[in-house]
Amino acid sequence: MNSWKDLQDILLKFRNERNWEQFHNPKDLALALSIEVAELNELFLWKKPEEADVEKVKDELADVFAYAILLAEKYDLDINEIVKTKVAKNAEKYPVDKAKGTSKKYTEL
Amino acid sequence: MNSWKDLQDILLKFRNERNWEQFHNPKDLALALSIEVAELNELFLWKKPEEADVEKVKDELADVFAYAILLAEKYDLDINEIVKTKVAKNAEKYPVDKAKGTSKKYTEL
Amino acid sequence: MNSWKDLQDILLKFRNERNWEQFHNPKDLALALSIEVAELNELFLWKKPEEADVEKVKDELADVFAYAILLAEKYDLDINEIVKTKVAKNAEKYPVDKAKGTSKKYTEL
Amino acid sequence: MNSWKDLQDILLKFRNERNWEQFHNPKDLALALSIEVAELNELFLWKKPEEADVEKVKDELADVFAYAILLAEKYDLDINEIVKTKVAKNAEKYPVDKAKGTSKKYTEL
């Protein structure tokens, strides 16, 4: 199974067993997410892209998913739906004929 | 379906149609992730937790998932597996009897 | 004395004694800055604004200044000049009569 | 003059004219700082270190200094003092003979 619903259930159980719901307002969850992302980025600091320690990447990326999934739950969001909707929007902002092979931001295309 | 694989396929197709794989090394993907997380956090800036615009949260959180999923793909990681493994580690760092009802970091428990 | 130059000299001496200039390209300095800012933000996580540990704030904010000053040096920027120039730009984006007492972004004023 | 006191005065005047002190609690100032740092980092995204647009770096780095200086003011911190104190601490964590020429974190030296 590769469902994020499974993960959401596991994460909510972990949280509820510790009575942490009281701390998990959306603003602090987003802040927690930013801190985990920084820890992930630290694995690449002063290094070439291929030099990060993969075992540590697993740990930090897992924390990123954990907080992102908990934040989605706060708003009762369907993760597959919001990502698909956003990809469709991005396809309009970055049409293939203009965006192909360039890393420019859509505002500069 | 709520599968990560579905989203990963959609994101890879979007990326490949634009020849963006050349830019998507893990270091820059992690950096892109940090930028999207900041855009998400900006929705809460100067506000109470409940005041963020939910429609914008959907958009920014979707971008967060998109880059996190693409980064997982770079290392061929099974998202459900890494999150479950990390939750198990966290359960050891934050045992229920010590962590219940407190927001302290494990180093201070 | 409250001069940036004094701090810049101290930081460059510290860096050069360790032969770290080789790692300090602007992209990684900006990344290091983002990591220090996350460590600063972590002091506020799950807390009310007034609950952060001031001694830790000093340490983390010092690291933020250190990398910001080193980055300014990379481009040979005059810190007072760039801040003054930016404040002047912001005064145009946020005219007093429109911005007074509101936390709205300039795009929404 | 290269004093950060000068900048602090300018920034406080700008803030007070707009009645923004009510929004500027330390937690949100730290959050604002993280958002500006992300905008700075975005200038390097998908690029080589030397490819960032210097004019934009000036603008974003100025915003970083602005929020860092405002945060220092909240705690009535002497910026030169906290940076010098931190450099002294870092000199202990990273002694020259161990740290010379390596980018390893002090926990790995």
Side-chain angles (χ1 to χ4, degrees):
Chain A
M1 287 292 294
N2 292 302
S3 159
W4 52 263
K5 288 269 188 207
D6 291 353
L7 293 181
Q8 209 165 54
D9 290 345
I10 290 168
L11 292 164
L12 290 175
K13 184 169 173 291
F14 181 90
R15 181 197 73 186
N16 292 341
E17 285 173 350
R18 285 158 187 77
N19 280 353
W20 284 353
E21 190 170 3
Q22 60 186 311
F23 307 115
H24 283 202
N25 64 77
K27 184 169 180 168
D28 278 288
L29 282 173
L31 190 58
L33 180 57
S34 76
I35 293 161
E36 297 302 339
V37 167
E39 292 180 4
L40 176 66
N41 272 274
E42 192 176 2
L43 304 176
F44 297 95
L45 183 64
W46 319 123
K47 291 181 184 161
K48 289 179 197 144
E50 64 276 15
E51 291 177 347
D53 179 326
V54 185
E55 290 309 308
K56 291 180 183 170
V57 168
K58 284 183 193 177
D59 266 13
E60 300 303 343
L61 190 55
D63 284 332
V64 169
F65 275 107
Y67 282 117
I69 292 168
L70 285 169
L71 189 54
E73 193 270 342
K74 278 283 157 186
Y75 294 99
D76 203 18
L77 303 178
D78 179 319
I79 294 170
N80 277 47
E81 190 189 310
I82 62 168
V83 175
K84 285 178 185 173
T85 302
K86 192 65 201 312
V87 170
K89 282 190 194 181
N90 284 344
E92 286 181 33
K93 279 159 84 175
Y94 294 95
V96 171
D97 62 325
K98 284 192 182 174
K100 195 162 189 168
T102 173
S103 64
K104 282 186 186 165
K105 206 171 171 178
Y106 70 96
T107 46
E108 295 171 353
L109 284 178
Chain B
M1 288 293 292
N2 293 302
S3 158
W4 297 115
K5 289 277 182 204
D6 289 354
L7 292 180
Q8 210 165 55
D9 289 346
I10 289 169
L11 292 164
L12 290 176
K13 184 170 175 289
F14 181 89
R15 182 197 72 186
N16 292 339
E17 284 173 351
R18 285 159 186 78
N19 280 352
W20 284 354
E21 190 170 1
Q22 60 184 312
F23 307 115
H24 283 201
N25 64 77
K27 184 169 181 169
D28 278 287
L29 282 173
L31 189 59
L33 180 56
S34 77
I35 293 161
E36 297 302 338
V37 167
E39 293 180 3
L40 176 65
N41 272 274
E42 192 176 3
L43 303 177
F44 297 94
L45 184 64
W46 319 125
K47 291 181 184 162
K48 289 178 196 148
E50 65 275 15
E51 293 176 346
D53 179 326
V54 185
E55 290 308 309
K56 290 181 183 170
V57 169
K58 285 183 194 177
D59 266 13
E60 300 302 344
L61 190 54
D63 283 332
V64 169
F65 276 111
Y67 282 118
I69 291 168
L70 285 168
L71 189 54
E73 193 270 342
K74 277 283 157 185
Y75 293 98
D76 203 20
L77 303 178
D78 179 319
I79 294 169
N80 276 43
E81 189 190 310
I82 63 168
V83 176
K84 286 178 185 174
T85 301
K86 192 67 200 312
V87 171
K89 283 189 193 182
N90 284 344
E92 286 181 33
K93 280 160 82 176
Y94 294 95
V96 170
D97 62 325
K98 285 193 180 172
K100 196 161 188 170
T102 173
S103 64
K104 281 187 188 163
K105 207 172 168 175
Y106 69 96
T107 46
E108 296 170 354
L109 283 179
Chain C
M1 287 293 292
N2 294 301
S3 157
W4 297 115
K5 289 277 181 203
D6 290 353
L7 293 180
Q8 210 164 55
D9 289 347
I10 290 168
L11 292 164
L12 290 175
K13 184 170 174 287
F14 182 90
R15 182 198 71 187
N16 292 340
E17 285 173 351
R18 285 159 186 77
N19 280 353
W20 284 354
E21 191 171 3
Q22 60 185 313
F23 307 115
H24 283 202
N25 65 76
K27 184 169 180 169
D28 278 288
L29 282 173
L31 190 58
L33 180 58
S34 77
I35 293 161
E36 298 302 338
V37 167
E39 293 180 3
L40 176 66
N41 272 274
E42 192 176 2
L43 304 176
F44 297 94
L45 184 62
W46 319 125
K47 291 181 184 160
K48 289 178 196 147
E50 65 275 16
E51 292 176 346
D53 178 327
V54 185
E55 289 309 308
K56 291 181 183 169
V57 169
K58 285 183 193 177
D59 267 12
E60 300 303 343
L61 190 54
D63 284 331
V64 169
F65 277 110
Y67 282 117
I69 292 167
L70 285 168
L71 188 55
E73 193 270 342
K74 278 282 157 188
Y75 293 99
D76 204 18
L77 303 178
D78 178 319
I79 295 168
N80 277 42
E81 189 189 312
I82 63 169
V83 175
K84 285 178 186 174
T85 302
K86 192 66 200 312
V87 170
K89 282 190 194 181
N90 284 344
E92 286 181 32
K93 279 160 83 175
Y94 295 95
V96 170
D97 62 324
K98 285 192 181 172
K100 195 161 188 167
T102 172
S103 64
K104 282 185 186 166
K105 208 174 169 175
Y106 70 97
T107 46
E108 295 170 353
L109 284 179
Chain D
M1 285 294 292
N2 292 301
S3 158
W4 52 263
K5 288 269 188 207
D6 291 353
L7 293 181
Q8 208 164 55
D9 290 345
I10 290 168
L11 292 164
L12 290 175
K13 184 169 174 289
F14 182 90
R15 181 197 73 186
N16 292 340
E17 285 172 351
R18 284 158 187 78
N19 281 353
W20 285 354
E21 190 170 3
Q22 60 186 311
F23 307 116
H24 283 200
N25 64 76
K27 184 168 180 169
D28 278 287
L29 281 174
L31 189 58
L33 180 57
S34 77
I35 293 161
E36 297 302 338
V37 167
E39 292 180 3
L40 176 65
N41 271 274
E42 192 176 3
L43 304 177
F44 297 94
L45 183 64
W46 319 126
K47 290 180 186 161
K48 289 177 196 149
E50 65 275 15
E51 292 176 346
D53 179 326
V54 185
E55 290 309 308
K56 291 181 181 168
V57 169
K58 285 183 193 177
D59 267 13
E60 301 302 346
L61 190 54
D63 284 331
V64 169
F65 275 107
Y67 282 119
I69 291 168
L70 286 168
L71 188 55
E73 193 270 343
K74 278 283 158 187
Y75 294 98
D76 203 19
L77 303 178
D78 179 319
I79 294 169
N80 278 46
E81 189 190 309
I82 63 169
V83 175
K84 286 178 186 175
T85 302
K86 192 65 199 314
V87 170
K89 282 190 193 180
N90 284 345
E92 286 181 33
K93 279 160 84 175
Y94 295 94
V96 170
D97 61 324
K98 285 192 181 173
K100 195 161 188 168
T102 173
S103 64
K104 282 186 187 166
K105 208 173 168 173
Y106 69 96
T107 47
E108 295 170 353
L109 283 179

